[in-house]
Each structure stands twice: as structure tokens, then as C-alpha cells.
Amino acid sequence: MEIVIRADPDEVARTVADIVEGYVRQGAATLGLATGSSPLPSYRELARRHRADGLDFSRCRAFLLDEYVGLPKSHPQSYYSVIRAEFVDHVNLDPARVLSPDGESADIGAEGARYDAAIAAAGGVDVQLLGIGTDGHIGFNEPGSALTSRTRVKTLTAQTRRDNARFFDGPDDVPHHVLTQGLGTICEARHLVMIATGAGKAEAVAAAAEGPLSAFCPASVVQWHPHVTVVIDEAAAGALKLAGYYRYALANKPAWQSF
Ligand code: F6R
């Protein structure tokens, strides 16, 4: 795991965009997209590079991490809609090739397996962007999620519903249930890029990167993955014990070595 501490959210966004751009320039990349606020500056930076430098997403496809259960796709806060409004509409990524779990499926119990099969049929995800919840969730794998879990329905904690109430008219409007890629599903992506900014994420980042590998902090599962880049700002790095070492390693990173 490589921990990259940047000065502020804008620098975080440029580093994340650099990583994603590397895959996009290879051609037919499969991107794993997160929603929530953490990746938004990175999406804006990628859209800027598309406009300014012609960064070409036309051969890419994408899979979302998660979706609310029961929220119509047309709802502005469905992740189907959010990812289009925040990213897909601003680049030349074909919306038909941006897939998400179907939170309106008539057979919601079977939807997870169908979604995992779709990811596998596409050859898997090349680079997966992840945010992290204040309780250590990634995707919507709340504490207690099996480290090998597959895509399935989960119940949001009261804390996550409160955290996400800012996107809705009120806290009661946040759905209780979600479909989320499982931790095992997420870990099948070939490169994980975890993004966190702000002091509110500092404890969760430290638990994920330096705490025990445990279902209690689902994000700690990234410790088990061979290729992880954690891109955070100074505020989100505030609780890391080895921050000095991460800075030193980055300052002395061999020129030939990419993220
Ligand atoms: C969203 C997702 C969630 C968020 C997490 C952090 O697709 O998978 O895990 O990444 O809740 O949300 P923000 O970035 O809004 O703090």
C-alpha cells in the first residue's frame, strides 16, 4: 500500500486524475467509479483534461460501486443519476457502458450475483476509486461486513444515513438499504485508489491503513490487496502514526516507479 499525502483536496484530485489518466490512455480501460463527495474534484479534473487535452474515454467502460435500493434511477440522488451528472455527462464515456447495480430490480436478492457476473464478463475492473465512510465503510460495506463478501443488499448504519442526509431533503429521506459491491468484489479490481479529504476522515483512514485487518473497519481489507494507492490531504492524514515515513517514501520514490 502506498500512502500519498497531498497538501489539499485540489492536489489530491490531480494525483487521482493522473492515475486514472494512465489507464484511460492505455485504451479500453474498465473504471470502477465511486460516488459521494470525495471523488468529485477528481472527476472535475478528468473532465477538464478531456476538454483541454482531449483525454479520450470513448473506449472505456465503467462500473459503479453501489446504489440505493428503491430509489428510482431518475431520482437526482440515485447513484445512476449522480455519476452521470457529476462525471459521465462531462466526458465522452458512453452512458450505456456505465453500469450500476439495479436498486429497482424485481429480484433484488439475485441482483448482486447478476452484477458481479457482469463485472467478470467485462474482464474485471482495472482501477477502482473508493471513498471511505467515517465508520470505515467502502462501497456501502458497513462494519461487520465479511471481508470476502460479494455484491448484495446491506442496511446502512444510522451514522451513514446521517452523513448522507446532506444530499437529500432530510435525514428520513435517505434509504435504509443499498446494493453494494462486496469487499471481495472490490478487491478483485486490479488497482484500488482510496481518496479521503478533511479531518473528519482522519480516524477512519488511520484505522484502514494502520489498524488491524478486521470486519470492524471494512476499509482495512485494502491491506490485503497487492496494489493500493491511498491519496489523502494533510487533514485526512492527521491520525496516521507513520505519516513521516509515508512522506519520506514519496519524496524518495524512484523516478521509474509509477503509482
Ligand atoms: C459511494 C460510496 C461510499 C462513499 C463514502 C464516503 O459510492 O461507495 O463508500 O465513498 O460514504 O462518502 P463521501 O465521499 O461523501 O464522504
Side-chain angles (χ1 to χ4, degrees), residues 34-39 65-66 79 130-133 137-140 164 166-167 201:
T35 47
S37 50
S38 303
L65 273 175
D66 39 24
Y79 286 163
L130 298 167
I132 177 170
H137 69 239
I138 53 173
F140 275 129
N164 285 8
R166 68 191 192 282
F167 297 117
K201 296 291 175 69

Side-chain angles (χ1 to χ4, degrees), residues 135-150 152-155 157 178 180-184 186 213-221:
D135 62 1
H137 69 239
I138 53 173
F140 275 129
N141 295 279
E142 297 284 30
S145 293
L147 298 176
T148 54
S149 48
R150 312 300 304 172
R152 70 227 181 280
V153 173
K154 287 292 287 182
T155 304
T157 63
V178 289
T180 180
Q181 284 191 33
L183 296 172
I186 290 169
L213 174 58
S214 159
F216 188 72
C217 177
S220 66
V221 76

Side-chain angles (χ1 to χ4, degrees), residues 9-234:
D10 286 344
E11 274 195 28
V12 167
R14 283 194 288 276
T15 299
V16 173
D18 287 348
I19 295 171
V20 175
E21 176 171 346
Y23 288 96
V24 173
R25 289 207 182 276
Q26 284 171 21
T30 299
L31 311 177
L33 301 177
T35 47
S37 50
S38 303
L40 293 182
S42 306
Y43 293 149
R44 284 195 285 270
E45 174 61 14
L46 286 165
R48 190 196 65 73
R49 293 179 190 194
H50 168 68
R51 282 191 308 273
D53 310 328
L55 183 60
D56 179 11
F57 293 81
S58 62
R59 294 179 59 213
C60 297
R61 68 168 82 216
F63 287 92
L64 265 62
L65 273 175
D66 39 24
E67 181 58 281
Y68 290 109
V69 169
L71 213 57
K73 283 191 176 67
S74 58
H75 190 289
Q77 289 308 325
S78 76
Y79 286 163
Y80 176 96
S81 292
V82 167
I83 203 67
R84 281 163 175 74
E86 301 287 0
F87 181 50
V88 180
D89 290 352
H90 307 281
V91 295
N92 62 336
L93 179 52
D94 179 357
R97 285 161 62 87
V98 179
L99 302 182
S100 45
D102 182 2
E104 299 176 282
S105 170
D107 191 355
I108 204 79
E111 173 59 12
R114 187 203 65 77
Y115 192 64
D116 280 353
I119 296 173
V125 169
D126 291 308
V127 59
Q128 176 66 59
L129 303 184
L130 298 167
I132 177 170
T134 54
D135 62 1
H137 69 239
I138 53 173
F140 275 129
N141 295 279
E142 297 284 30
S145 293
L147 298 176
T148 54
S149 48
R150 312 300 304 172
T151 303
R152 70 227 181 280
V153 173
K154 287 292 287 182
T155 304
L156 294 179
T157 63
Q159 181 179 330
T160 300
R161 290 186 69 237
R162 274 195 303 276
D163 287 347
N164 285 8
R166 68 191 192 282
F167 297 117
F168 290 82
D169 290 339
D172 294 340
D173 292 344
V174 184
H176 285 270
H177 296 109
V178 289
L179 269 160
T180 180
Q181 284 191 33
L183 296 172
T185 313
I186 290 169
C187 283
E188 284 169 3
R190 288 179 274 282
H191 185 181
L192 303 181
V193 178
M194 188 187 290
I195 309 164
T197 54
K201 296 291 175 69
E203 292 298 332
V205 167
E210 296 179 338
L213 174 58
S214 159
F216 188 72
C217 177
S220 66
V221 76
V222 304
Q223 294 177 26
W224 200 246
H225 192 284
H227 190 184
V228 180
T229 313
V230 179
V231 191
I232 55 179
D233 66 357
E234 288 287 350

